[in-house]
Amino acid sequence: MTLPVSSDETTGAEGAGSADRRTYEVRTFGCQMNVHDSERISGLLEGAGLARVEGGQADVVVFNTCAVRENADNKLYGNLGILKAVKEARPGMQIAVGGCLAQKDRETILKKAPWVDAVFGTHNIGALPALLQRARHNQDAQLEILESLDVFPSTLPTRRESVYAGWVSISVGCNNTCTFCIVPSLRGKERDRRPGEILAEIEALVADGAVEVTLLGQNVNSYGVEFGDRGAFAKLLRACGSIEGVERVRFTSPHPAAFTDDVIEAMAETPNVMPQLHMPLQSGSDRVLKAMRRSYRSTRFLGILERVRDRMPHAAISTDIIVGFPGETEEDFQATLDVVAESRFATAFTFQYSRRPGTPAADLPDQLPKAVVQERFERLTALQDRIAREENARQVGRLVEVLVTDQQGRKGGETHRLTGRARDQRLVHFTVPDGADVPRPGDFVTLPVTEAASFHLLSDPALHEYALRRSRAGDAWDRSQADSCGVPVATEGGPRAVSLGMPALPVRGSAL
């Protein structure tokens, strides 16, 4: 399972010079895999001549959905309900639904929301422009769901959300049978890309200014199973170390059962692979893990963490945990608390079990009352918040290198702090000392941690404690900002609006 992100991340941007073109908006619900797919959807729509819009109503609204939790259904149908009246007042407006929920619900979406124009699944993202065109021509909703992968998503055009960092999908699908998870039935069996294609895509990202890449897969460390190389993932990490210009490599999410020591060695010995690991625990109870069909036990999980920290003492480890799985007893839950206390996670994504139709766990007996699950959830989050605060406090006084992002903390406007990520992925809010140069998103700053909280670090450095390193990514940020304002910028190869996922094809082209 990939690492969760905000469940309502909207893609919207400039529409300079596009008054006579139809506009689009992509709304993403789900994990990094969904976000990555949304970049492909944006690239496809721009390739079809549409322009992104922000601050206004788009002509085409695409929902890229998740199906892991129940609130994903509620959020989608709630949004569709709101847009019904908007569409009635805007002749020619179109609505499309794709992603995991579309793969699962199919005709149900059109029954519940007949004003939707197109429904497409996880295996045929590339069909979206044709479906929209067909729906517009025929004045009839189009439904197309494939049961197996049509085109590997990374061969499709992409409209990246960040100039300094990029997602690189190394596999799609999942061969595991976790009883709580609906992803395998929606994404299919694991399909692996060839190493050369992956490395070529990373090189293309670097050419466009990226300095950080994140390798994506449902079980990223089982990469290579399709072509019979159990050591392929470790080899891929090492190969990333030889790509000039890649300063930070991350990956998500691995599976503990397939996590081998050669991966740990590759992480420790490859300088640009970051000292950060997201390792889903799900439960600390061996009995519950067995019921989940998670093919590892708590001792193996803790052993992996021990070996990782032995080779990388400052590694930050995060996790996923499900509370209230059917049949979970107080003793089972205490085992989870015990493993969390011993693991000392930097952060944890905690979820209350959600009964998902189509999963084996949905039919298990002993579904827990909501009140019991909520109480346990609160105890777990209180423990983890305390641990995170203590672990972050240990960072105070350390010098950290921060990759500056274009995000801002909730109080950034008041404190004038900028935001970035340390090498171990910790969030850092920092001030720029008086008299110092201000970094751009994509630049690097080195500074001391002066304060810590549960979910972030703070740095208010003196002038002599602050060091700025400008980067190619910062230069790319400048170009992107100038392009969005319609200001011509001299760049080798021309402007870079929509890059191609398959680097064997041209990766630069004229701006739309």
Side-chain angles (χ1 to χ4, degrees), residues 92-175:
M93 180 183 173
Q94 291 184 292
I95 301 170
V97 179
C100 292
L101 194 61
Q103 188 80 22
K104 178 178 76 73
D105 280 5
R106 307 185 180 210
E107 294 89 350
T108 303
I109 293 173
L110 295 179
K111 290 178 181 176
K112 290 186 175 182
W115 54 93
V116 169
D117 297 274
V119 178
F120 61 102
T122 59
H123 299 308
N124 61 322
I125 291 173
L128 176 59
L131 293 174
L132 289 169
Q133 184 178 23
R134 217 153 59 211
R136 197 177 184 194
H137 179 271
N138 298 341
Q139 295 293 299
D140 189 34
Q142 301 295 307
L143 169 67
E144 186 174 300
I145 305 289
L146 300 185
E147 298 304 327
S148 60
L149 194 64
D150 180 23
V151 176
F152 203 97
S154 291
T155 66
L156 301 173
T158 184
R159 180 61 155 85
R160 289 168 48 216
E161 292 306 301
S162 168
V163 297
Y164 46 82
W167 312 102
V168 177
S169 179
I170 69 172
S171 65
V172 295
C174 178
N175 293 339

Side-chain angles (χ1 to χ4, degrees), residues 375-389:
E375 190 273 337
R376 290 178 183 173
F377 178 80
E378 291 173 0
R379 273 193 283 158
L380 174 61
T381 54
L383 171 63
Q384 176 53 41
D385 289 353
R386 176 178 63 78
I387 291 171
R389 187 168 56 252

Side-chain angles (χ1 to χ4, degrees), residues 318-339:
S318 56
T319 197
D320 297 330
I321 302 172
I322 296 172
V323 177
F325 188 80
E328 180 189 76
T329 65
E330 180 61 30
E331 182 181 4
D332 293 325
F333 179 66
Q334 184 58 51
T336 295
L337 295 178
D338 292 342
V339 173

Side-chain angles (χ1 to χ4, degrees), residues 383-441:
L383 171 63
Q384 176 53 41
D385 289 353
R386 176 178 63 78
I387 291 171
R389 187 168 56 252
E390 292 169 356
E391 290 300 304
N392 279 352
R394 295 173 58 187
Q395 309 301 312
V396 173
R398 286 187 59 197
L399 279 178
V400 293
E401 181 191 63
V402 175
L403 172 58
V404 182
T405 69
D406 56 352
Q407 299 171 332
Q408 191 178 60
R410 287 185 296 111
K411 298 181 180 180
E414 304 169 19
T415 62
H416 303 292
R417 286 191 174 101
L418 302 180
T419 296
R421 293 280 179 178
R423 287 172 55 85
D424 63 8
Q425 192 66 343
R426 283 184 165 93
L427 185 66
V428 182
H429 302 305
F430 65 94
T431 54
V432 177
D434 290 340
D437 290 334
V438 177
R440 306 159 298 181

